[in-house]
Amino acid sequence: QEQLLESGGGSVQTGGTLRLSCAASGFTGNNAYMAWFREAPGKEREGVAMIRTRVGDAHYAESLKGRFTITYDDATSTLYLEMTNVKPDDTAMYYCAVDRDGSLGWVAPFMPKRYHAWGQGTQVTVSS
């Protein structure tokens, strides 16, 4: 069974940089996709970025392109999210998730129900 553990969250000032990590275990699918989501107070969970783990190609939420970078280290089974030039609107709980079989491919990348396991989240707070 997949297990995901996020870390790296914290407080950062506007314009700063933060790198989130997600240690993954328990899945060996050759076509797995992983993603980062975030949920701010009073708002719905939204997709941030998605990556096909074996290839490394990625898809981003349009509003976040250019500021966030998702990567996956196959050697350590760790997913990363590099956040640059952060803004107060980036304040949220950030979650990683895994789609173990990737049957949908790039269709509906941020549909929560396609993901089979979720981490517990790591809080990011951006101050102005």
Side-chain angles (χ1 to χ4, degrees), residues 1 19 23 35-37 39 50 55 58-60 64 69 87 91 94 109 113 119 123:
Q1 185 171 348
R19 188 172 82 156
W36 287 98
F37 286 77
E39 187 172 334
M50 176 185 180
V55 179
H59 172 81
Y60 295 89
L64 299 175
T69 303
K87 305 175 181 180
T91 295
Y94 284 72
K113 67 180 182 180
Q123 177 68 39

mmCIF file of all heavy atoms in Angstrom, residues 1 19 23 35-37 39 50 55 58-60 64 69 87 91 94 109 113 119 123:
data_model
loop_
_atom_site.group_PDB
_atom_site.id
_atom_site.type_symbol
_atom_site.label_atom_id
_atom_site.label_comp_id
_atom_site.label_asym_id
_atom_site.label_seq_id
_atom_site.Cartn_x
_atom_site.Cartn_y
_atom_site.Cartn_z
ATOM 1 N N GLN A 1 0.841 -1.184 0.000
ATOM 2 C CA GLN A 1 0.000 0.000 0.000
ATOM 3 C C GLN A 1 0.883 1.242 0.000
ATOM 4 O O GLN A 1 1.878 1.312 0.711
ATOM 5 C CB GLN A 1 -0.906 0.008 1.228
ATOM 6 C CG GLN A 1 -1.895 1.151 1.232
ATOM 7 C CD GLN A 1 -2.916 1.024 2.339
ATOM 8 O OE1 GLN A 1 -3.023 -0.028 2.969
ATOM 9 N NE2 GLN A 1 -3.653 2.066 2.580
ATOM 10 N N ARG A 19 11.200 24.624 -0.905
ATOM 11 C CA ARG A 19 11.142 23.334 -1.591
ATOM 12 C C ARG A 19 10.437 22.316 -0.708
ATOM 13 O O ARG A 19 10.885 22.028 0.404
ATOM 14 C CB ARG A 19 12.528 22.823 -1.981
ATOM 15 C CG ARG A 19 12.449 21.586 -2.873
ATOM 16 C CD ARG A 19 13.779 21.159 -3.443
ATOM 17 N NE ARG A 19 14.550 20.369 -2.495
ATOM 18 C CZ ARG A 19 15.501 19.510 -2.862
ATOM 19 N NH1 ARG A 19 15.781 19.337 -4.137
ATOM 20 N NH2 ARG A 19 16.184 18.852 -1.946
ATOM 21 N N ALA A 23 8.158 11.940 0.402
ATOM 22 C CA ALA A 23 8.783 10.626 0.369
ATOM 23 C C ALA A 23 7.722 9.576 0.105
ATOM 24 O O ALA A 23 6.734 9.489 0.845
ATOM 25 C CB ALA A 23 9.481 10.350 1.690
ATOM 26 N N ALA A 35 1.383 14.020 -8.062
ATOM 27 C CA ALA A 35 0.946 15.414 -8.165
ATOM 28 C C ALA A 35 1.027 16.115 -6.828
ATOM 29 O O ALA A 35 1.067 15.485 -5.771
ATOM 30 C CB ALA A 35 -0.484 15.473 -8.682
ATOM 31 N N TRP A 36 1.049 17.425 -6.917
ATOM 32 C CA TRP A 36 0.906 18.298 -5.752
ATOM 33 C C TRP A 36 -0.429 19.033 -5.875
ATOM 34 O O TRP A 36 -0.771 19.536 -6.942
ATOM 35 C CB TRP A 36 2.024 19.329 -5.686
ATOM 36 C CG TRP A 36 3.349 18.775 -5.282
ATOM 37 C CD1 TRP A 36 4.390 18.412 -6.099
ATOM 38 C CD2 TRP A 36 3.787 18.511 -3.949
ATOM 39 N NE1 TRP A 36 5.440 17.938 -5.359
ATOM 40 C CE2 TRP A 36 5.096 18.002 -4.023
ATOM 41 C CE3 TRP A 36 3.215 18.669 -2.680
ATOM 42 C CZ2 TRP A 36 5.838 17.634 -2.908
ATOM 43 C CZ3 TRP A 36 3.942 18.302 -1.562
ATOM 44 C CH2 TRP A 36 5.244 17.795 -1.674
ATOM 45 N N PHE A 37 -1.124 19.069 -4.763
ATOM 46 C CA PHE A 37 -2.343 19.846 -4.630
ATOM 47 C C PHE A 37 -2.149 20.812 -3.466
ATOM 48 O O PHE A 37 -1.257 20.638 -2.635
ATOM 49 C CB PHE A 37 -3.544 18.936 -4.323
ATOM 50 C CG PHE A 37 -4.034 18.131 -5.484
ATOM 51 C CD1 PHE A 37 -3.359 16.995 -5.916
ATOM 52 C CD2 PHE A 37 -5.198 18.485 -6.153
ATOM 53 C CE1 PHE A 37 -3.817 16.235 -6.986
ATOM 54 C CE2 PHE A 37 -5.679 17.737 -7.219
ATOM 55 C CZ PHE A 37 -4.981 16.613 -7.631
ATOM 56 N N GLU A 39 -4.580 23.369 -0.592
ATOM 57 C CA GLU A 39 -5.905 23.747 -0.086
ATOM 58 C C GLU A 39 -5.742 24.888 0.895
ATOM 59 O O GLU A 39 -5.110 24.735 1.947
ATOM 60 C CB GLU A 39 -6.577 22.548 0.575
ATOM 61 C CG GLU A 39 -8.013 22.784 0.969
ATOM 62 C CD GLU A 39 -8.681 21.491 1.441
ATOM 63 O OE1 GLU A 39 -8.243 20.391 1.019
ATOM 64 O OE2 GLU A 39 -9.643 21.588 2.216
ATOM 65 N N MET A 50 1.730 18.178 -11.821
ATOM 66 C CA MET A 50 1.644 16.729 -11.968
ATOM 67 C C MET A 50 2.836 16.262 -12.786
ATOM 68 O O MET A 50 3.273 16.966 -13.703
ATOM 69 C CB MET A 50 0.349 16.370 -12.670
ATOM 70 C CG MET A 50 0.146 14.911 -12.984
ATOM 71 S SD MET A 50 -1.373 14.749 -13.945
ATOM 72 C CE MET A 50 -1.423 12.998 -14.195
ATOM 73 N N VAL A 55 9.145 9.210 -16.679
ATOM 74 C CA VAL A 55 9.633 10.009 -17.808
ATOM 75 C C VAL A 55 10.109 11.377 -17.349
ATOM 76 O O VAL A 55 11.101 11.918 -17.840
ATOM 77 C CB VAL A 55 8.535 10.154 -18.881
ATOM 78 C CG1 VAL A 55 9.018 11.011 -20.051
ATOM 79 C CG2 VAL A 55 8.096 8.781 -19.359
ATOM 80 N N ALA A 58 5.977 16.971 -17.192
ATOM 81 C CA ALA A 58 5.105 17.541 -16.163
ATOM 82 C C ALA A 58 4.037 18.447 -16.754
ATOM 83 O O ALA A 58 4.142 18.917 -17.887
ATOM 84 C CB ALA A 58 5.931 18.318 -15.150
ATOM 85 N N HIS A 59 3.041 18.669 -15.948
ATOM 86 C CA HIS A 59 1.932 19.565 -16.292
ATOM 87 C C HIS A 59 1.685 20.469 -15.085
ATOM 88 O O HIS A 59 1.748 20.006 -13.943
ATOM 89 C CB HIS A 59 0.684 18.743 -16.607
ATOM 90 C CG HIS A 59 -0.553 19.563 -16.790
ATOM 91 N ND1 HIS A 59 -0.861 20.205 -17.960
ATOM 92 C CD2 HIS A 59 -1.560 19.855 -15.911
ATOM 93 C CE1 HIS A 59 -2.010 20.841 -17.817
ATOM 94 N NE2 HIS A 59 -2.448 20.648 -16.590
ATOM 95 N N TYR A 60 1.413 21.750 -15.360
ATOM 96 C CA TYR A 60 1.227 22.714 -14.292
ATOM 97 C C TYR A 60 -0.120 23.419 -14.399
ATOM 98 O O TYR A 60 -0.645 23.617 -15.505
ATOM 99 C CB TYR A 60 2.326 23.771 -14.344
ATOM 100 C CG TYR A 60 3.706 23.223 -14.070
ATOM 101 C CD1 TYR A 60 4.494 22.729 -15.100
ATOM 102 C CD2 TYR A 60 4.204 23.184 -12.772
ATOM 103 C CE1 TYR A 60 5.739 22.210 -14.855
ATOM 104 C CE2 TYR A 60 5.465 22.677 -12.505
ATOM 105 C CZ TYR A 60 6.228 22.185 -13.544
ATOM 106 O OH TYR A 60 7.472 21.673 -13.292
ATOM 107 N N LEU A 64 0.313 28.983 -12.242
ATOM 108 C CA LEU A 64 1.548 28.774 -11.486
ATOM 109 C C LEU A 64 2.754 28.491 -12.369
ATOM 110 O O LEU A 64 3.875 28.360 -11.864
ATOM 111 C CB LEU A 64 1.350 27.616 -10.511
ATOM 112 C CG LEU A 64 0.252 27.832 -9.480
ATOM 113 C CD1 LEU A 64 0.068 26.576 -8.639
ATOM 114 C CD2 LEU A 64 0.547 29.026 -8.600
ATOM 115 N N THR A 69 8.118 24.335 -9.823
ATOM 116 C CA THR A 69 8.707 23.252 -10.602
ATOM 117 C C THR A 69 8.542 21.937 -9.855
ATOM 118 O O THR A 69 8.943 21.840 -8.689
ATOM 119 C CB THR A 69 10.192 23.500 -10.865
ATOM 120 O OG1 THR A 69 10.360 24.758 -11.538
ATOM 121 C CG2 THR A 69 10.773 22.391 -11.735
ATOM 122 N N LYS A 87 4.035 34.095 -3.151
ATOM 123 C CA LYS A 87 3.113 35.197 -2.865
ATOM 124 C C LYS A 87 2.203 34.796 -1.721
ATOM 125 O O LYS A 87 2.029 33.602 -1.453
ATOM 126 C CB LYS A 87 2.281 35.481 -4.111
ATOM 127 C CG LYS A 87 3.094 35.769 -5.355
ATOM 128 C CD LYS A 87 2.204 35.920 -6.573
ATOM 129 C CE LYS A 87 3.027 36.176 -7.834
ATOM 130 N NZ LYS A 87 2.181 36.323 -9.035
ATOM 131 N N THR A 91 -0.228 30.694 0.263
ATOM 132 C CA THR A 91 -0.442 30.140 1.594
ATOM 133 C C THR A 91 -1.522 29.069 1.539
ATOM 134 O O THR A 91 -2.647 29.321 1.091
ATOM 135 C CB THR A 91 -0.850 31.248 2.577
ATOM 136 O OG1 THR A 91 0.245 32.160 2.727
ATOM 137 C CG2 THR A 91 -1.232 30.668 3.925
ATOM 138 N N TYR A 94 -0.247 21.950 1.568
ATOM 139 C CA TYR A 94 0.161 21.306 0.324
ATOM 140 C C TYR A 94 0.192 19.796 0.518
ATOM 141 O O TYR A 94 0.769 19.308 1.496
ATOM 142 C CB TYR A 94 1.527 21.819 -0.119
ATOM 143 C CG TYR A 94 1.458 23.200 -0.727
ATOM 144 C CD1 TYR A 94 1.227 24.317 0.062
ATOM 145 C CD2 TYR A 94 1.598 23.382 -2.091
ATOM 146 C CE1 TYR A 94 1.130 25.589 -0.492
ATOM 147 C CE2 TYR A 94 1.520 24.641 -2.662
ATOM 148 C CZ TYR A 94 1.281 25.742 -1.857
ATOM 149 O OH TYR A 94 1.190 26.998 -2.414
ATOM 150 N N PRO A 109 -5.786 15.898 -15.230
ATOM 151 C CA PRO A 109 -4.636 15.753 -14.337
ATOM 152 C C PRO A 109 -4.917 16.102 -12.881
ATOM 153 O O PRO A 109 -4.269 15.570 -11.982
ATOM 154 C CB PRO A 109 -3.607 16.706 -14.940
ATOM 155 C CG PRO A 109 -4.410 17.716 -15.691
ATOM 156 C CD PRO A 109 -5.579 16.945 -16.229
ATOM 157 N N LYS A 113 -10.109 12.265 -7.608
ATOM 158 C CA LYS A 113 -10.466 10.861 -7.420
ATOM 159 C C LYS A 113 -9.614 9.908 -8.252
ATOM 160 O O LYS A 113 -9.675 8.698 -8.050
ATOM 161 C CB LYS A 113 -11.939 10.639 -7.711
ATOM 162 C CG LYS A 113 -12.365 10.833 -9.148
ATOM 163 C CD LYS A 113 -13.865 10.565 -9.282
ATOM 164 C CE LYS A 113 -14.340 10.699 -10.719
ATOM 165 N NZ LYS A 113 -15.809 10.437 -10.837
ATOM 166 N N GLY A 119 -0.775 12.169 0.942
ATOM 167 C CA GLY A 119 -0.035 12.423 2.161
ATOM 168 C C GLY A 119 -0.886 13.216 3.138
ATOM 169 O O GLY A 119 -2.023 13.573 2.850
ATOM 170 N N GLN A 123 2.192 22.487 5.725
ATOM 171 C CA GLN A 123 1.671 23.851 5.678
ATOM 172 C C GLN A 123 2.720 24.826 5.141
ATOM 173 O O GLN A 123 3.878 24.812 5.576
ATOM 174 C CB GLN A 123 1.228 24.298 7.077
ATOM 175 C CG GLN A 123 0.736 25.728 7.153
ATOM 176 C CD GLN A 123 -0.575 25.933 6.410
ATOM 177 O OE1 GLN A 123 -1.468 25.080 6.435
ATOM 178 N NE2 GLN A 123 -0.709 27.086 5.754
#
